[in-house]
Amino acid sequence: MALLFYVVLCLSVWTGLCQIPVNNSPAINPSSLAAKLTSNSVILMPPSCYFDNLNILTCNSPTTCEIWLVTAIDTGVSNFDADKNKTYIDTLSPYPTAFSSNTSKKYFLTKLGLQKDYPCPVVAGTDYFRVGSDGSCSTPNCNGILPVGSTARFRYVLINPANKTVVAESLWSNNITLYPLKDPESIDNGFAGRSASMIVITSILCSFLALLLLLLLIMLIYVLCCREEKQEIQVPGSVRMYDTHNLKDPSPYVNRAYEDEPQRPTATSPIRLKSYTDYDLKKPATEL
Amino acid sequence: MADGKGTTCLMVILILGNIFGAAAGLALCALAIWVAVDEYKLYPISGVSGKDDIFAGAWIAIFTGFAFFCMCVFGILAAAMKSRALMLTYLILMLIIYIFECASCITAVTHRDYLVGNSNLVKKQMLKYYAADGDSGSRITLTWNKVMKEVECCGTDGPVDWIEYNSTFREMYGTDYPWPTHCCKRKNNYEVVNVEACKNGQNTTMFTKGCFNHIESVFSRYTWAISWYGFAVLMFMFWLLILAMVYYLIL
C-alpha cells in the first residue's frame, strides 16, 4: 500500500502534476543586520535544510536541481499557485512586468543557485539572502527591488532545469510588510522645548540688568537734584583745611576798592609823567 | 573728605576688581574667538537652517570682551584719580557693554535650544540636503561626510533614519544603497572594507551609532563657552558696578 502510494507520488511528480511540499517557510533573517527590512528589500534566511531529504526522480541530484525564490504580493499568491504546474514557470511573469499594472501577475521568480550551494548545516557567510539586491533591473528573472511599502510573501521552490517545472516547494511565508517611506517634511522641527539653563540665564541676566539700570537711574537722580554741595567744615587750627592758594597760582593782589579808577598802575604799565612844569624855576617864590 | 580712609579702601577694592575684570574680559574675548573659528567645522548645519546665532553671540562676545578689558583699565584710572566725571563715564559705558553682553549670552543659549534641543531639525536637514544639488546641498554633504568619517557614526539617530524616511539620497541611490557609503568602515587606504556586508547592515562592517550625540555636544560646548562664561563675567561685573556706584556717591 505504501509502495503503491510512493509509486503514484513519484509518477505524479515525474509528470509534473504535483509538487512535494516541504514543511519550512521562509522568514526574515533573525541576526542583527541593520538593513534586514527596508522599504524595498528584505533579507531572508537561506533555504539551507529545506530540500535535503527528498528522493526526486526528475532533477535527482543536488548538482542539477535549482533553488528559486518566488516573491508574491497580494493576488500574486493565488496567481502563482494557479501557475505552478506549468512548464517554463520562469517566463510566465518576468520581473519588469510583474508589478507594473493592476492586471499584472504580481509575482516573480529569481534564481538563488544550485541545491548544493545551500548545504545543511548552513555555512557561515552564506547565511542570508537579500531580496532586491539587483536594484531596479530589467532582465526577466533578476533579483529586483519590491514596490515601496508593499506586503509580500515568499516561497522557496526546487526547479527542474530541463523544463523549468516546480519539483518541490516550501510553504508560503507569513506576510512581511516592508517599511512605508515616511516623508521627511512630516518631521516637526519646530519648538523643541526650553532647556533649564536657557531659563536660568535669561531670567537672571534680565533681572540683574533691570536692577542695574534702576540703581544707576536712582543714583543719577540723587546726584543731580537731591544732593547738597558738601561744605568743607573749617576746623580752626586744622592746618589740613587750609588751601594754600597763593602758592598754587601767584598773582598780584588787586584792591577792588579802586575799580572805578580809569587807569590803575600795574607792574607792566606804571604811571608815566607826561609833562613836568618846574614852577620854582619859572617864578621865584616871593616872600610874603 | 570726611571718610578718607573708607574712600581709599573702596578705591583699592575697585582697582583690584577692575584688574580682575580686565583679565576676565580678555579671556571672554579669546574664548569667543575660539567659538567663532569653529574647529569642528559644523557651521553649515546651523547656517543652512538659518539658526546660526550661536556664532552671532560669539561675534558680539569678541567685541564686548575686549571692550570690558578696555573699560576696566579705564576704571582703574578713574578710581585712582578720584574723579567724579571719569567715574560717571565709566559707569555709563560699562552699562552699555553690559547690555550687549547680556544680549550675546541670551541669544546663544536660545538658539542652541532651537538647533539641538531634539534631533528633529538636524535629521530633517540631513534627509533633505544630503546628496542634493546646490550650495546648501554640497555644504551639508561635505559636513556630514566629515562627521561620519571622523566620529564613526551613521545617520542622525542611527542608520534606521535612512531606511524609515524618504530622502534626496534615497531618490538618487536608493535602489542600490540603503545608506551612504560613508557609513561603512574603511581600511587605512580609504577603501570600503566590504560593500555588500555594509549594504546588508552587518554591524562589523559599518557604523551603527547615530551622529546626533556628537553634533549636540559640539554645539553645547560652544554655547556653554559663550553663555555660561559670559554669565559668570556679568555676575562679577554687576557687583563691581554696584561698588563703583557707591564709590561715585562718596567721592
Side-chain angles (χ1 to χ4, degrees):
Chain A
M1 194 62 188
L3 188 64
L4 187 69
F5 176 74
Y6 185 64
V7 166
V8 168
L9 191 64
C10 293
L11 273 173
S12 338
V13 169
W14 183 58
T15 54
L17 283 178
C18 73
Q19 294 79 25
I20 299 177
V22 163
N23 204 11
N24 306 60
S25 66
I28 299 182
N29 197 316
S31 59
S32 62
L33 296 172
K36 58 187 177 189
L37 191 68
T38 70
S39 60
N40 56 13
S41 69
V42 187
I43 299 184
L44 299 171
M45 292 289 287
S48 299
C49 301
Y50 284 26
F51 304 110
D52 268 7
N53 297 324
L54 301 174
N55 268 330
I56 301 171
L57 295 178
T58 51
C59 81
N60 60 355
S61 77
T63 50
T64 48
C65 297
E66 295 174 343
I67 299 186
W68 288 55
L69 174 78
V70 182
T71 309
I73 292 178
D74 44 56
T75 56
V77 175
S78 45
N79 286 345
F80 176 76
D81 284 339
D83 283 349
K84 64 185 176 188
N85 291 328
K86 303 180 187 161
T87 55
Y88 295 103
I89 183 123
D90 56 335
T91 55
L92 294 179
S93 174
Y95 171 75
T97 60
F99 308 108
S100 50
S101 70
N102 277 338
T103 54
S104 50
K105 297 232 179 183
K106 297 214 190 301
Y107 73 86
F108 70 96
L109 279 85
T110 185
K111 181 175 166 185
L112 269 75
L114 296 174
Q115 194 186 349
K116 69 173 172 66
D117 294 330
Y118 293 92
C120 190
V122 64
V123 172
T126 59
D127 55 350
Y128 66 91
F129 176 69
R130 183 160 176 241
V131 181
S133 59
D134 284 343
S136 197
C137 53
S138 53
T139 54
N141 296 109
C142 61
N143 190 358
I145 51 174
L146 307 173
V148 168
S150 48
T151 305
R153 300 180 79 179
F154 302 92
R155 182 175 228 186
Y156 286 115
V157 292
L158 203 60
I159 296 242
N160 180 0
N163 52 1
K164 295 281 196 277
T165 50
V166 176
V167 170
E169 59 185 9
S170 72
L171 302 170
W172 280 109
S173 71
N174 293 329
N175 273 333
I176 294 176
T177 309
L178 301 173
Y179 274 100
L181 275 186
K182 291 192 240 180
D183 184 13
E185 299 297 325
S186 67
I187 302 176
D188 176 21
N189 62 342
F191 183 63
R194 303 274 181 239
S195 65
S197 49
M198 180 264 169
I199 293 176
V200 163
I201 289 178
T202 311
S203 53
I204 293 182
L205 281 184
C206 288
S207 49
F208 272 45
L209 179 65
L211 204 63
L212 204 61
L213 266 170
L214 198 68
L215 286 175
L216 195 68
L217 266 174
I218 292 175
M219 184 194 80
L220 282 175
I221 292 171
Y222 174 74
V223 162
L224 287 176
C225 52
C226 307
R227 182 216 282 257
E228 298 167 3
E229 272 303 309
K230 271 208 211 163
Q231 305 286 348
E232 297 197 338
I233 301 167
Q234 304 277 348
V235 175
S238 157
V239 182
R240 260 186 320 183
M241 292 294 144
Y242 183 69
D243 188 11
T244 54
H245 59 89
N246 56 345
L247 290 177
K248 281 194 198 162
D249 54 337
S251 59
Y253 179 68
V254 175
N255 192 341
R256 302 226 181 250
Y258 292 91
E259 243 176 307
D260 48 353
E261 271 196 358
Q263 232 181 16
R264 268 179 281 127
T266 60
T268 50
S269 61
I271 294 180
R272 293 224 144 81
L273 290 178
K274 286 195 188 143
S275 65
Y276 178 69
T277 314
D278 193 356
Y279 291 99
D280 287 319
L281 290 174
K282 272 191 176 172
K283 268 181 175 177
T286 53
E287 287 204 1
L288 289 165
Chain B
M1 288 161 225
D3 46 346
K5 213 165 181 190
T7 315
T8 314
C9 178
L10 196 54
M11 180 186 85
V12 167
I13 294 177
L14 259 184
I15 289 179
L16 284 176
N18 272 313
I19 291 174
F20 190 75
L26 207 57
L28 178 66
C29 181
L31 203 57
I33 291 177
W34 171 73
V35 174
V37 162
D38 187 22
E39 65 166 311
Y40 294 100
K41 300 277 183 287
L42 286 184
Y43 177 77
I45 292 182
S46 62
V48 165
S49 67
K51 308 251 189 291
D52 61 347
D53 281 349
I54 299 176
F55 298 96
W59 279 102
I60 299 177
I62 294 177
F63 292 111
T64 56
F66 189 68
F68 268 138
F69 169 73
C70 294
M71 283 313 299
C72 284
V73 169
F74 177 72
I76 296 173
L77 205 73
M81 286 174 57
K82 293 197 185 179
S83 153
R84 268 199 208 160
L86 289 182
M87 280 307 291
L88 191 62
T89 315
Y90 169 77
L91 280 171
I92 292 178
L93 285 179
M94 279 293 264
L95 186 74
I96 294 173
I97 301 170
Y98 195 94
I99 294 174
F100 276 104
E101 180 58 31
C102 277
S104 158
C105 295
I106 294 175
T107 305
V109 79
T110 313
H111 280 261
R112 178 225 165 249
D113 281 351
Y114 278 140
L115 202 53
V116 292
N118 57 21
S119 62
N120 286 349
L121 187 136
V122 175
K123 190 190 295 195
K124 189 170 181 175
Q125 189 189 69
M126 174 189 83
L127 293 169
K128 192 167 163 203
Y129 286 105
Y130 188 87
D133 287 327
D135 180 50
S136 305
S138 67
R139 288 162 74 198
I140 293 284
T141 309
L142 285 172
T143 305
W144 272 95
N145 285 346
K146 181 175 188 292
V147 170
M148 288 198 280
K149 185 177 72 158
E150 288 180 1
V151 180
E152 296 185 353
C153 58
C154 181
T156 306
D157 291 324
V160 75
D161 289 340
W162 294 109
I163 298 177
E164 273 186 341
Y165 289 93
N166 196 9
S167 60
T168 312
F169 173 79
R170 162 169 285 281
E171 279 167 21
M172 293 174 78
Y173 306 105
T175 54
D176 196 14
Y177 291 94
W179 37 65
T181 50
H182 284 85
C183 289
C184 307
K185 288 192 182 165
R186 289 169 187 262
K187 300 188 274 213
N188 284 338
N189 63 355
Y190 205 59
E191 264 178 43
V192 179
V193 172
N194 188 341
V195 183
E196 276 307 311
C198 181
K199 280 201 240 178
N200 287 340
Q202 214 162 340
N203 54 5
T204 51
T205 57
M206 66 174 284
F207 309 127
T208 49
K209 70 176 182 188
C211 297
F212 181 68
N213 271 343
H214 171 255
I215 295 174
E216 190 258 337
S217 75
V218 166
F219 279 122
S220 293
R221 213 175 295 172
Y222 289 163
T223 308
W224 300 159
I226 300 297
S227 61
W228 277 115
Y229 182 64
F231 179 78
V233 169
L234 286 175
M235 288 297 106
F236 176 77
M237 293 298 177
F238 177 77
W239 295 111
L240 194 66
L241 289 177
I242 299 286
L243 276 177
M245 283 190 225
V246 171
Y247 185 68
Y248 177 76
L249 282 177
I250 67 172
L251 259 190

